[in-house]
């Protein structure tokens, strides 16, 4: 699984670089105590690597297309009036595989330019990390709004950046997440409108018939599901989401 190995190495490379700079730190050290007793101790390198692994899911979700996709799917579920269908596990699984589909060209480039040369011994850890992160940086910059980037740059104390490559990750990542949230809610708004119209029509018809005790949501649900199925909504929505990412 090259993509998961890439995600792991993107965080492990700086740790490895620090270990190499220090002349190489053994993963385990054997200490002989009084009476000939021997104990094994884990070095700080392993501790740093495990700490990086705990941050790995958050970084992967923050630097990929996952945020936009899962928010739009959640809004769609609310618009349909089925808050528990599809279940969360299905939405998360679909979002993860859609993220892999969208990010595949970026991850392939990062693998070929950074991770593969590092594993083959053709590149040091720090240059390999820079080459591997460059495609992800380009992807995030392509989705980021200039106004959001300028706002976070001003908060961080930067005046302007000489080039896109000079934008630090500590500024780029929160800017990217903010832009993704805004884009996701804009797409969700467009998805919500047709279902809202059906709810309004059904509610008006029920009131005109004097059936105020009958829930409009209960009556409109089959019509919304039928509309979504007839227009091939899942394929249309997935295709629109995939095409909404700038590369």
């Amino acid at each position: 699984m090259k993509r998961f190995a890439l995600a792991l190495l993107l965080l492990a490379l700086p740790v490895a670089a620090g270990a190499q700079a220090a002349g190489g730190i053994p993963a385990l050290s054997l200490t002989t105590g009084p009476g000939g007793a021997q104990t094994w101790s884990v070095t700080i390198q392993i501790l740093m690597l495990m700490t990086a692994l705990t941050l790995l899911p958050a970084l992967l979700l923050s630097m990929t297309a996952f945020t936009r996709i899962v928010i739009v799917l959640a809004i769609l579920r609310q618009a349909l009036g089925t808050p528990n269908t599809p279940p969360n596990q299905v939405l998360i699984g679909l979002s993860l595989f859609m993220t892999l589909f969208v990010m595949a060209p970026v991850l392939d480039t990062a693998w070929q330019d950074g991770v593969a040369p590092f594993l083959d011994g053709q590149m040091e850890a720090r240059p390999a990390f820079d080459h591997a992160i460059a495609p992800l940086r380009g992807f995030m910059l392509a989705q980021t709004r200039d106004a959001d980037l300028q706002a976070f740059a001003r908060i961080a104390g930067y005046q302007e950046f000489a080039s896109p490559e000079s934008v630090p990750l500590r500024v780029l990542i929160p800017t990217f997440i903010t832009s993704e949230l805004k884009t996701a809610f804009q797409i969700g708004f467009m998805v919500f409108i047709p279902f809202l119209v059906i709810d309004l029509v059904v509610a008006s018809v029920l009131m005109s018939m004097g059936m105020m005790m009958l829930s409009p949501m209960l009556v409109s649900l089959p019509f919304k599901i039928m509309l979504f199925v007839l227009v091939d909504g899942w394929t249309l929505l997935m295709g629109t989401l995939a095409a909404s990412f700038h590369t």
Side-chain angles (χ1 to χ4, degrees):
M1 299 292 288
K2 288 186 176 181
R3 278 70 179 184
F4 296 101
L6 168 63
L8 175 61
L9 286 172
L10 285 179
L11 288 181
L13 284 177
V15 179
Q20 291 180 359
I25 304 177
L28 296 174
S29 59
L30 180 63
T31 303
T32 303
Q38 295 181 337
T39 58
W40 294 90
S41 61
V42 181
T43 61
I44 192 65
Q45 179 183 2
I46 301 299
L47 178 62
M48 294 173 62
L49 179 59
M50 297 304 296
T51 303
L53 288 177
T54 60
L55 298 176
L56 182 60
L59 293 178
L60 289 178
L61 300 183
S62 303
M63 300 170 64
T64 64
F66 180 84
T67 300
R68 181 187 305 186
I69 295 172
V70 73
I71 289 178
V72 172
L73 292 180
I75 294 177
L76 170 65
R77 187 171 63 177
Q78 292 295 325
L80 283 171
T82 54
N84 297 318
T85 305
N88 290 331
Q89 295 87 340
V90 174
L91 290 187
I92 296 298
L94 179 58
S95 301
L96 286 174
F97 279 98
M98 276 297 299
T99 301
L100 182 60
F101 174 79
V102 172
M103 300 293 298
V106 177
L107 296 179
D108 287 339
T109 303
W111 176 271
Q112 296 172 5
D113 294 348
V115 179
F118 173 75
L119 295 178
D120 294 338
Q122 302 173 359
M123 189 178 297
E124 297 295 329
R126 184 62 189 183
F129 175 78
D130 293 336
H131 282 78
I133 204 68
L136 287 174
R137 180 191 296 273
F139 173 82
M140 288 188 291
L141 283 171
Q143 323 306 322
T144 299
R145 292 175 171 81
D146 292 336
D148 295 336
L149 183 59
Q150 294 174 4
F152 277 93
R154 184 170 58 254
I155 295 173
Y158 293 94
Q159 297 297 328
E160 61 181 17
F161 301 105
S163 63
E165 291 75 15
S166 62
V167 180
L169 289 177
R170 70 184 184 93
V171 175
L172 179 57
I173 293 178
T175 305
F176 169 73
I177 297 174
T178 303
S179 296
E180 284 294 282
L181 289 174
K182 187 181 298 184
T183 303
F185 277 95
Q186 289 176 347
I187 299 176
F189 172 79
M190 300 302 297
V191 171
F192 209 106
I193 290 300
F195 302 107
L196 179 60
V197 171
I198 294 178
D199 286 334
L200 292 175
V201 171
V202 170
S204 299
V205 172
L206 290 178
M207 289 189 64
S208 64
M209 297 175 62
M211 303 174 64
M212 292 177 291
M213 298 301 294
L214 184 60
S215 172
M217 296 292 295
L218 182 63
V219 178
S220 63
L221 178 59
F223 291 100
K224 290 189 289 186
I225 294 177
M226 180 181 65
L227 173 65
F228 192 68
V229 172
L230 288 178
V231 300
D232 199 8
W234 287 111
T235 302
L236 182 62
L237 182 62
M238 294 298 103
T240 302
L241 279 174
S244 67
F245 292 95
H246 305 284
T247 57

